Amino acid sequence: MSRQKLNIGLFGFGVVGQGLYDVLEKSPALDSRVSKICVKRRINRSLPDDMFCYDPDEILEDESINTIVEVIDNAEDACFIVKKALQKGKNVVSANKKMLAEHLSEMVALAKEKNVSLLYEASACGSIPVIRNLEEYYDNDLLLSVTGILNGSSNYILSKIFDNHESYSVALKEAQELGFAESNPSFDVDGFDSLYKLIILTLHSFGVIVSPGEVLNYGISNITEFDINYAREKGYKIKLVAQVERLRDKKIALFVLPRFVTRDKYIYSVEDEFNGVVIKGVAYDKQFMFGKGAGGHPTGSAVLSDITALGHHYRYEYKKASYFGGFKYFKEAAIELYLRYSNPQVLRNFEFKSVSEEYHGPKYHYKIGFIRLDKLIAIKDKLRDLDIFLAATGKALNY
Ligand SMILES: NC(=O)c1ccc[n+]([C@@H]2O[C@H](COP(=O)([O-])OP(=O)(O)OC[C@H]3O[C@@H](n4cnc5c(N)ncnc54)[C@H](OP(=O)(O)O)[C@@H]3O)[C@@H](O)[C@H]2O)c1
């Protein structure tokens, strides 16, 4: 099949949009060009004014534009744009993990119905080609788990805490000043960004679409010196880890939690704003992918890779769902957690299946034991407001 000529309508000209434009300029061999860019504000830009428009329909209704690249920062608007583009029979590349994770079923079905391609490599782990690898290379049922540090901002903060002995608030301020964390950092530090990426990776790992509201995400915003010292004394680092794993009987479990990580693990050495993903399988044991998870040029390069793939008529086939589907999300598995608290009343929120260790100090106490995921999911929004810190010990799930 000959290469398809792409006439691109770009939505968004921020960090990723500009990064993409730069990397496209450096790829003259690619038979694709951006003919129009839709943005929100009328401000001075680095490109001529006539490249820009402010009405999405100027691109969406233009029959000569056959490809939409959506890199805006608003999930609701992105949903409207991507839906309309697919309905109009245009191919779409998106980097919007929140929009995708919340609308995966609908978007995947729409792309199929309209016989167009919807690609989104940049939505999970920026420049690391994890989605296409899961889809194409790990396209068999030997896969056991995908575990990763998927959020650069929280990893930067944790690195500064553990390597430079900075406090959480100082490290967070630094991350914000460097542009790694939003002014409202909850999206990153409370594990939402990692959660949306995990939802996307789960589809390409095991062929299951799970709603983000049904998955436990708990982040690092409640970490204290006590927790940091506990980890340090044991020789651990704390990392914010997202994981999807295969259990017995075609079940899978997934969650985002801070985790105590020992020196022998690949992710122990993933530092600063970097991302790292460990893929575990029956025959090959473990493989590790590492790289930049954010930033204009790294993310732009993932978008460019999707554009190139579109030129070759590439589509995700959702092979796991098609060929060996039938995996079910199992929320009743129990996970071993460290629960640090100060007021014993708080324990009323938690139902431990078993307890292996308890500590009582003058100010802080902790309990280590197994708690079922579904019990935590039921109170996941409340967890952030409790004076506690939760971290997974890394022990195998109990079910
Ligand atoms: N930054 C990263 O490293 C990174 C990595 C992976 C994925 N992503 C994802 O990529 C997307 C873009 O992120 P970003 O960092 O590039 O954001 P950004 O720097 O804040 O830029 C957002 C762009 O979207 C435009 N925009 C917002 N609403 C719009 C609308 N309704 N119609 C048209 N344009 C609109 C803005 O227009 P104005 O210029 O007029 O304000 C701006 O150009 C997000 O989904 C993000 O999660 C980002």
Side-chain angles (χ1 to χ4, degrees):
M1 216 186 274
S2 65
R3 204 160 74 181
Q4 191 179 183
K5 190 171 181 327
L6 304 177
N7 195 15
I8 299 168
L10 175 62
F11 282 86
F13 200 61
V15 174
V16 180
Q18 296 195 41
L20 167 68
Y21 199 87
D22 289 350
V23 293
L24 253 175
E25 292 278 281
K26 290 179 190 136
S27 315
L30 200 69
D31 199 7
S32 308
R33 65 179 191 98
V34 173
S35 58
K36 204 92 207 159
I37 306 170
C38 181
V39 285
K40 203 137 196 195
R41 296 168 300 155
R42 291 172 193 271
I43 53 168
N44 277 335
R45 311 265 177 185
S46 54
L47 295 174
D49 279 354
D50 62 1
M51 280 294 286
F52 294 94
C53 66
Y54 307 91
D55 174 3
D57 280 346
E58 245 183 82
I59 290 180
L60 296 169
E61 299 290 348
D62 184 338
E63 300 286 332
S64 71
I65 291 176
N66 58 2
T67 303
I68 299 300
V69 174
E70 178 280 302
V71 286
I72 71 169
D73 57 344
N74 178 314
E76 284 83 47
D77 293 354
C79 181
F80 170 80
I81 291 162
V82 171
K83 230 160 112 175
K84 185 155 182 191
L86 294 171
Q87 272 157 348
K88 288 262 161 197
K90 298 181 195 294
N91 295 312
V92 176
V93 175
S94 172
N96 204 314
K97 62 221 87 166
K98 182 171 193 284
M99 181 278 290
L100 288 161
E102 284 171 346
H103 301 277
L104 261 181
S105 299
E106 187 188 357
M107 294 298 178
V108 170
L110 188 57
K112 196 171 172 198
E113 182 198 323
K114 297 291 171 183
N115 198 22
V116 289
S117 182
L118 168 65
L119 302 180
Y120 39 80
E121 187 61 68
S123 67
C125 301
S127 69
I128 310 175
V130 61
I131 296 175
R132 197 124 31 103
N133 270 294
L134 286 168
E135 184 66 25
E136 298 301 329
Y137 183 84
Y138 299 94
D139 62 344
N140 54 59
D141 65 357
L142 296 178
L143 191 66
L144 292 176
S145 65
V146 178
T147 306
I149 293 176
L150 310 183
N151 179 261
S153 318
S154 50
N155 201 52
Y156 179 89
I157 294 167
L158 290 170
S159 291
K160 295 301 157 203
I161 289 174
F162 277 86
D163 300 343
N164 294 9
H165 290 258
E166 288 178 13
S167 69
Y168 174 80
S169 53
V170 167
L172 169 61
K173 198 158 168 276
E174 218 175 283
Q176 285 171 323
E177 280 163 6
L178 287 166
F180 296 142
E182 312 274 332
S183 47
N184 172 6
S186 178
F187 190 70
D188 294 313
V189 298
D190 289 323
F192 290 98
D193 177 73
S194 301
L195 168 69
Y196 298 134
K197 292 169 178 171
L198 181 66
I199 297 292
I200 295 167
L201 296 187
T202 297
L203 172 57
H204 293 275
S205 304
F206 295 103
V208 184
I209 294 180
V210 182
S211 161
E214 294 286 297
V215 179
L216 176 64
N217 67 294
Y218 180 80
I220 57 167
S221 54
N222 284 351
I223 199 168
T224 60
E225 275 305 304
F226 182 88
D227 310 311
I228 296 160
N229 287 336
Y230 171 87
R232 258 201 206 110
E233 277 165 22
K234 309 251 175 202
Y236 307 147
K237 280 181 185 171
I238 297 175
K239 298 283 188 190
L240 183 59
V241 177
Q243 178 160 325
V244 55
E245 68 175 277
R246 182 182 182 154
L247 310 173
R248 279 188 310 267
D249 307 327
K250 289 226 144 190
K251 291 173 182 156
I252 57 162
L254 55 151
F255 46 86
V256 176
L257 277 166
R259 183 182 303 187
F260 296 128
V261 178
T262 49
R263 202 176 281 274
D264 57 328
K265 298 285 188 284
Y266 287 125
I267 55 172
Y268 185 89
S269 49
V270 176
E271 296 292 14
D272 300 328
E273 71 276 23
F274 283 86
N275 286 189
V277 182
V278 180
I279 297 172
K280 197 170 170 199
V282 175
Y284 45 81
D285 194 16
K286 285 179 197 153
Q287 292 173 341
F288 180 48
M289 299 175 86
F290 170 83
K292 291 199 168 166
H297 288 164
T299 311
S301 83
V303 176
L304 178 66
S305 173
D306 278 351
I307 293 172
T308 311
L310 275 183
H312 294 287
H313 307 272
Y314 178 75
R315 285 184 194 175
Y316 299 136
E317 283 178 59
Y318 299 99
K319 291 181 180 155
K320 314 297 171 66
S322 323
Y323 303 138
F324 58 93
F327 279 99
K328 289 264 175 321
Y329 173 33
F330 184 68
K331 286 183 278 188
E332 290 78 13
I335 185 160
E336 192 182 60
L337 292 172
Y338 155 97
L339 165 64
R340 186 267 304 145
Y341 60 97
S342 25
N343 181 352
Q345 298 290 333
V346 89
L347 290 175
R348 280 189 291 189
N349 293 287
F350 301 95
E351 205 178 301
F352 280 87
K353 269 183 82 180
S354 60
V355 174
S356 57
E357 198 179 323
E358 271 192 80
Y359 165 87
H360 296 281
K363 185 166 177 207
Y364 290 119
H365 327 289
Y366 68 78
K367 223 168 170 166
I368 294 177
F370 280 89
I371 305 180
R372 268 171 47 169
L373 285 169
D374 57 344
K375 307 277 182 198
L376 294 165
I377 294 163
I379 54 166
K380 75 168 182 161
D381 291 331
K382 185 176 171 187
L383 287 174
R384 281 190 298 281
D385 299 330
L386 298 175
D387 181 16
I388 59 161
F389 181 67
L390 290 171
T393 62
K395 259 204 187 152
L397 295 182
N398 186 318
Y399 59 99

